[in-house]
Structures are given as structure tokens and as C-alpha cells.
Amino acid sequence: ASLLDKDHTRFEQLMSFAYYDFAKENQFIQYTFNGEDYVYRIFAVNYMNESDLDLYNDKKYTDKEMHDEIERIRKNSLYKYNTDVDESDKVIILTTCTNMFGESSDTHFLVSGRLMRRNEGIKKVKVETTGEYDIIQEQMKGGESYDEA
């Protein structure tokens, strides 16, 4: 389905970030709210268990809690983005369900970004794969061999 498809109401397109080439080329999130545009620089892409997420939480984090959460997300990211982010940044996390690890899995797919800073140029940064990416690549290949006996 096209992103412009009026019936496209969920975050299926978010899963495109599982592909390295796509993640390298698409490094920003634009969010429009009440007629205002906000641009976020992506700093992490993750698969995480629902039990490890604080979904639908509107609590105010302390600086230490925010720092720890950012570090946890970055540590488990499929990619290392050459982007600095800290507890003073405004962060957005887009998430969707995934059956990458089976139909009964409680795994979610996340793309995290921080609000662009004043006078920060919109230029791409270096993006590298991590060991987490390697694990996902093996999962995408599948564990079965189709060689004939």
C-alpha cells in the first residue's frame, strides 16, 4: 500500500526501517500537530518486548530516568546513528506490533527520534549496523533449508 493511500491508517510502513538502506536514507520524522510541523532526527530503531516498554505512559521522567531510557534504547538499536541525544531533548517514539518473532510474540518495533535543535541543519548523519541488526538479518533469512535431499 502506498503511504498516500487513504486506507493506510496504521504504522505498517514503519517496518521499512528494518532495512539498512532505508534507514540510511530516511533519518527524519515529520510530525504535524495543530498546524505546526515538528521535525525529529532518528537516533534508534529497535525490536523490544512489550514488557520492556512503558507504553501509553504520560508520567514525567526525571533527568536520570530519561538519560537511562535513551541509553537503553540506543544500546539495543539495530543501527548506530551518529546523532547526539540527551535527557534535555524532546523525544518521540513511534511503535507498532510485529510478528517478526511469531504470531504469539509480544514484540514491538520502535523508531525513536529527538526534536531538531534550533539552527541544526537537516543533513544526514553516518548510520552503521550493530550486532542487533545481524541477529535480525538471521531471523529474516529463516532457519529452514530448502535444499532437496
Side-chain angles (χ1 to χ4, degrees):
S2 164
L3 294 179
L4 302 177
D5 183 348
K6 66 182 179 210
D7 295 325
H8 200 84
T9 58
R10 299 183 338 185
F11 272 178
E12 289 104 350
Q13 68 270 24
L14 209 59
M15 295 302 300
S16 298
F17 283 94
Y19 299 96
Y20 179 54
D21 288 340
F22 186 89
K24 279 193 313 187
E25 291 303 313
N26 298 277
Q27 297 186 15
F28 302 93
I29 298 166
Q30 180 177 325
Y31 175 67
T32 303
F33 181 72
N34 286 340
E36 292 287 325
D37 290 332
Y38 301 90
V39 178
Y40 293 79
R41 181 177 291 280
I42 295 171
F43 67 86
V45 173
N46 305 75
Y47 285 94
M48 295 182 94
N49 286 329
E50 186 171 357
S51 59
D52 293 331
L53 299 174
D54 208 358
L55 295 175
Y56 316 113
N57 182 357
D58 58 359
K59 83 173 192 172
K60 182 91 168 122
Y61 286 93
T62 67
D63 283 351
K64 176 162 181 13
E65 288 171 332
M66 188 66 175
H67 173 82
D68 291 349
E69 188 63 13
I70 289 168
E71 289 306 308
R72 183 174 74 99
I73 289 169
R74 290 187 82 158
K75 178 182 169 220
N76 295 302
S77 178
L78 301 182
Y79 314 109
K80 180 180 184 227
Y81 287 85
N82 188 17
T83 298
D84 62 321
V85 58
D86 63 43
E87 58 276 2
S88 67
D89 287 309
K90 300 231 183 289
V91 172
I92 190 169
I93 300 175
L94 307 178
T95 182
T96 190
C97 302
T98 177
N99 60 6
M100 171 66 81
F101 301 98
E103 291 290 330
S104 62
S105 170
D106 68 349
T107 302
H108 285 250
F109 188 76
L110 290 76
V111 176
S112 303
R114 65 141 171 90
L115 189 62
M116 294 287 289
R117 297 171 181 156
R118 185 179 302 276
N119 299 322
E120 179 179 16
I122 304 258
K123 70 175 194 177
K124 292 180 182 170
V125 298
K126 185 174 181 182
V127 179
E128 300 173 275
T129 61
T130 68
E132 294 294 321
Y133 177 82
D134 296 338
I135 293 168
I136 296 306
Q137 288 304 294
E138 285 303 311
Q139 181 75 18
M140 289 171 103
K141 289 178 188 173
E144 299 177 15
S145 172
Y146 295 100
D147 294 341
E148 292 192 30

